[in-house]
Amino acid sequence: MINLVIGRCRLSILGRHRPPVIIRETPDLGAVMARVALVNLASLEMPGNEPIFPIGLRCVQDALDRAGHHTQLIDLVEDPQAHDDLSWAAQPWDVIGFTIRNIDPLDLACDNHVEHYVEFVNRVRAAAGSRCPLFVGGGPGYSLFADVLLPLLGFDVGVVGPGENMMLDIVASPEAYRGTGRNLGGGRYGGFTAEALRHPPSLLAAYARSPTAMIGVEAKRKTCYQGCSYCPYAHISGENKGELKPRELLAEELRAIHAAGIRRVFFTDSIFNSELRPAKEVVRTIAGLALPGLTWCAYFTPKPFDDELAELLVGSGVDYVLVSPDSLDDGVMRALGKSFRSRHVDRFVERCRQRDLPLRVNVVFGGPGETRETVRATARCADAMLSDDELVMNLGYRVLPSTAMARQLGLADSDLLSPTFYPFDPELFSWVIEEVDQRFVPTKMMFNILAGRVASRKMFPLRPQPGAAGQVMSLPYLPLTRQRWAT
Ligand code: B12
Ligand code: SF4
């Protein structure tokens, strides 16, 4: 490992694909104030995209505001005219930051969003003209494909992982980053536990207009190290060992959200109950607030989950208790790297059932080792355990960079930018329709399955790079991709 000291920052270069981690050693007292526009690319109109409140970009904006910088968040839900009228881009910005949340909706039948991002960023660049503000990329989708997206979008610099600290460094001396073409690692941000994140009323109001308005709230920042083979969360959330938002700050955020008219909250933690004690504290906080009509949801795991947590959930406003075992066949669960088995899901369902807690169980057919028999095992288990609206089904595993699945398949990140799916038997669609009880397949779900089947037939088989020792060599099918992305 090479350590460089640049200004007040120490850059640790860990390797070609590992972005340097910056550790802030002193606060930026007396730094020059910058003018920064922050653009929510997830608010673009794109097939398959339903914009949600830009919580990640708001975190970055909040950090910059607190440091005294002048910022403006451009969100096309709040200000739809900003799409065609790019006069905002011509203002004298020092930096324009772009957030990329989703690359695509992870769905066999859906398109990629990237061409829309390229087109819009190019228009912004043209509108900014000769002023040439520094262009910076960030966000969860960006973090996944940073090395591919940076040149594609022509960013000067990008941030992988939490963006606050690195963005503070970038805006403090934009010229030091101009044209560097590098992606830098985000790091821990002290403000997360020190300050409540209060959103601007106009932005909240814009998102509150939707009858299904739901806002993300971070109860903790903690990387999930469970290592499910398809999951990129550890890469996206970076070196976060587990910081909890203090209860009083969380309560303040929830009160403000409720006052703005939003009634649905999603706790954005990778796994809400990865540790039971803090999860119970959050549930007690929500219940204690007793905000009329406020409901909430989060990603739960069946293990750890105990009677006390189940009891606390009752009457807390939880919309439903959401778990993603992804399969209910123990062999497939093992191949996916799940840390629990179908018996744990069974016990978890039982605990919820005893207390009439609403449930949602996500499964995705088409993972490693999926056969007609494993589809049948999942279908039977679901049938025995779940009522009609409790099973949520998807088909096809989107292969994402920095995952065990991508490594097994020996595919380059650039191959994965276009929607790419783990190899599956083309009969998978028929197996699901034939094996899963019809009560779990409402008309909309049937259309999704059929659309996925049609889409998969138009996709291209993708060969691993020559010499790749990936497990794909021993699989009967090849991964499927929507298109080859020219970089
Ligand atoms: C919670 C969550 C949800 C919730 C969101 C609830 C809500 N109302 O917010 C629900 C369940 C609804 C959801 C739905 C979906 N999600 Co989701 N979700 C997440 C999750 C777990 C956390 C996201 C989050 O809010 N984090 C907290 C915020 C504060 O962090 P952040 O956004 O990353 O922002 C930080 C940094 O990225 C950075 N940053 C952000 N912007 C910028 C900008 C600049 C300039 C800089 C420098 C830095 C920077 O700084 C921020 C602060 O530290 C992530 C996985 C993960 N671990 O990140 C997936 C994730 C973002 N989701 C993903 C996807 C695809 C989806 C869906 C399309 C799935 C589907 N088919 O329905 C939908 C789309 C929703 C939508 N309409 O956009 C993908 C996106 C990447 C991809 N593969 O394309 C992820 C990464 C998961 C995955 N499987 O890969 N999701
Ligand atoms: S438990 Fe969830 S967040 Fe953790 S690695 Fe598995 S899928 Fe990802």
Side-chain angles (χ1 to χ4, degrees):
M1 182 200 292
I2 310 161
N3 281 319
L4 301 174
V5 178
I6 298 181
R8 279 188 298 268
C9 307
R10 174 174 297 138
L11 300 188
S12 304
I13 301 178
L14 300 167
R16 207 168 72 80
H17 295 295
R18 293 290 300 277
V21 176
I22 289 218
I23 300 152
R24 178 169 298 278
E25 289 174 342
T26 53
D28 256 342
L29 297 174
V32 177
M33 293 316 139
R35 290 175 53 90
V36 186
L38 295 165
V39 183
N40 178 18
L41 289 179
S43 63
L44 282 169
E45 261 183 45
M46 303 176 279
N49 183 43
E50 289 171 29
I52 47 172
F53 190 90
I55 171 188
L57 197 57
R58 276 289 305 126
C59 291
V60 173
Q61 184 184 27
D62 193 66
L64 297 178
D65 288 346
R66 286 181 192 281
H69 298 288
H70 169 79
T71 67
Q72 186 180 340
L73 197 150
I74 312 293
D75 183 286
L76 304 173
V77 172
E78 183 183 27
D79 181 9
Q81 288 181 349
H83 179 268
D84 294 335
D85 175 3
L86 293 178
S87 51
W88 57 266
Q91 289 174 30
W93 304 113
D94 299 303
V95 176
I96 303 187
F98 296 86
T99 193
I100 294 184
R101 187 191 192 279
N102 306 325
I103 295 302
D104 53 77
L106 311 177
D107 186 322
L108 274 168
C110 283
D111 290 337
N112 192 309
H113 297 327
V114 175
E115 63 200 74
H116 300 269
Y117 301 148
V118 172
E119 200 242 351
F120 193 70
V121 172
N122 284 340
R123 284 182 55 224
V124 174
R125 185 175 290 109
S130 55
R131 291 184 190 277
C132 294
L134 192 85
F135 274 29
V136 185
Y142 182 82
S143 298
L144 279 174
F145 287 96
D147 288 347
V148 187
L149 288 177
L150 187 138
L152 202 59
L153 293 155
F155 290 156
D156 292 282
V157 59
V159 180
V160 174
E164 295 94 337
N165 261 355
M166 183 52 74
M167 197 61 170
L168 283 166
D169 282 334
I170 292 171
V171 306
S173 48
E175 287 314 310
Y177 295 88
R178 185 168 298 282
T180 54
R182 291 168 59 206
N183 284 303
L184 308 169
R188 181 186 165 268
Y189 173 58
F192 176 70
T193 50
E195 315 280 357
L197 186 62
R198 293 290 296 268
H199 302 299
S202 59
L203 189 62
L204 281 171
Y207 279 87
R209 280 198 281 275
S210 156
T212 55
M214 178 175 64
I215 189 168
V217 172
E218 279 184 291
K220 67 172 179 294
R221 286 195 173 177
K222 183 173 172 71
T223 302
C224 180
Y225 295 107
Q226 298 232 28
C228 300
S229 67
Y230 60 87
C231 178
Y233 285 19
H235 173 74
I236 297 171
S237 49
E239 297 295 317
N240 285 299
K241 301 271 185 298
E243 292 199 298
L244 308 174
K245 178 81 77 176
R247 266 181 83 161
E248 60 284 4
L249 298 185
L250 193 61
E252 194 181 328
E253 292 184 12
L254 291 169
R255 272 193 224 100
I257 285 167
H258 185 264
I262 296 182
R263 293 290 178 266
R264 295 173 69 217
V265 162
F266 196 102
F267 290 106
T268 60
D269 319 20
S270 303
I271 294 295
F272 180 74
N273 58 323
S274 54
E275 287 155 275
L276 284 175
R277 192 192 51 77
K280 289 172 185 173
E281 281 300 293
V282 175
V283 182
R284 286 192 186 99
T285 304
I286 311 166
L289 285 170
L291 297 167
L294 190 82
T295 63
W296 64 279
C297 196
Y299 289 122
F300 285 81
T301 175
K303 194 180 88 164
F305 188 83
D306 65 8
D307 285 325
E308 189 186 20
L309 178 56
E311 207 56 53
L312 284 168
L313 290 173
V314 178
S316 70
V318 66
D319 242 339
Y320 42 80
V321 191
L322 174 66
V323 280
S324 301
D326 300 320
S327 171
L328 296 169
D329 174 88
D330 283 340
V332 175
M333 289 169 91
R334 193 174 307 112
L336 286 169
K338 288 282 155 191
S339 61
F340 52 85
R341 298 289 172 261
S342 54
R343 67 177 187 284
H344 299 110
V345 183
D346 205 2
R347 179 82 189 99
F348 166 85
V349 169
E350 189 52 35
R351 282 197 162 105
C352 294
R353 191 74 72 225
Q354 284 162 358
R355 295 165 177 89
D356 280 336
L357 285 167
L359 269 170
R360 291 287 182 284
V361 178
N362 283 339
V363 300
V364 183
F365 291 106
E370 193 84 273
T371 59
R372 182 172 199 129
E373 286 64 42
T374 62
V375 170
R376 183 178 300 144
T378 295
R380 287 198 175 150
C381 202
D383 208 21
M385 254 194 265
L386 304 175
S387 57
D388 301 8
D389 58 350
E390 289 179 339
L391 182 70
V392 182
M393 280 190 294
N394 278 293
L395 273 76
Y397 279 82
R398 169 69 161 101
V399 185
L400 291 166
S402 304
T403 60
M405 196 173 256
R407 286 189 290 278
Q408 285 162 12
L409 293 175
L411 297 173
D413 288 1
S414 52
D415 282 334
L416 300 173
L417 187 61
S418 171
T420 303
F421 291 84
Y422 191 82
F424 59 81
D425 190 315
E427 287 305 309
L428 179 71
F429 303 95
S430 314
W431 298 340
V432 171
I433 290 170
E434 287 161 19
E435 300 292 347
V436 177
D437 194 290
Q438 290 308 297
R439 69 195 175 95
F440 294 123
V441 193
T443 313
K444 194 174 167 202
M445 172 64 66
M446 182 61 94
F447 283 138
N448 282 348
I449 296 174
L450 294 177
R453 182 168 182 268
V454 172
S456 71
R457 291 189 162 194
K458 292 185 185 151
M459 292 167 86
F460 307 100
L462 195 53
R463 295 196 177 276
Q465 288 173 329
Q471 123 182 353
V472 74
M473 307 310 268
S474 61
L475 292 169
Y477 302 98
L478 287 171
L480 290 177
T481 186
R482 291 299 294 274
Q483 67 188 69
R484 286 188 187 280
W485 197 271
T487 50

